[in-house]
């Protein structure tokens, strides 16, 4: 099985992003990001559909700022 260069580049970029996300300085921030995106804490979590909608809005807004 042969990978072309674009597939290899995509795989390497995904792997690099995953490694940086799982790094010890970023991973502890994830619960705070989720709580901020959902607008609540863990005990009074909203329904999953609302959490997904709010999470998508958070990602869209974050992407708009950086694009």
């Amino acid at each position: 099985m042969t990978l072309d260069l674009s597939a290899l580049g995509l795989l390497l970029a995904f792997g690099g992003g995953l490694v940086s996300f799982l790094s010890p300085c970023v991973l502890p921030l994830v619960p705070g990001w989720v709580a901020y995106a959902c607008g609540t804490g863990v005990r009074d979590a909203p329904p999953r559909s609302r959490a997904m909608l709010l999470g998508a809005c958070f990602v869209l807004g974050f992407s708009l700022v950086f694009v």
Side-chain angles (χ1 to χ4, degrees):
M1 180 167 134
T2 305
L3 287 175
D4 61 348
L5 287 179
S6 62
L8 180 63
L10 185 63
L11 185 64
L12 287 173
F14 181 78
L18 189 63
V19 167
S20 68
F21 178 76
L22 295 175
S23 68
C25 58
V26 173
L27 196 57
L29 299 172
V30 173
W33 289 337
V34 171
Y36 178 76
C38 292
T40 61
V42 175
R43 291 199 172 100
D44 49 335
R48 183 172 286 183
S49 61
R50 178 155 170 79
M52 292 297 287
L53 175 67
L54 292 172
C57 289
F58 178 77
V59 169
L60 180 65
F62 203 79
S63 299
L64 278 172
V65 168
F66 284 100
V67 170

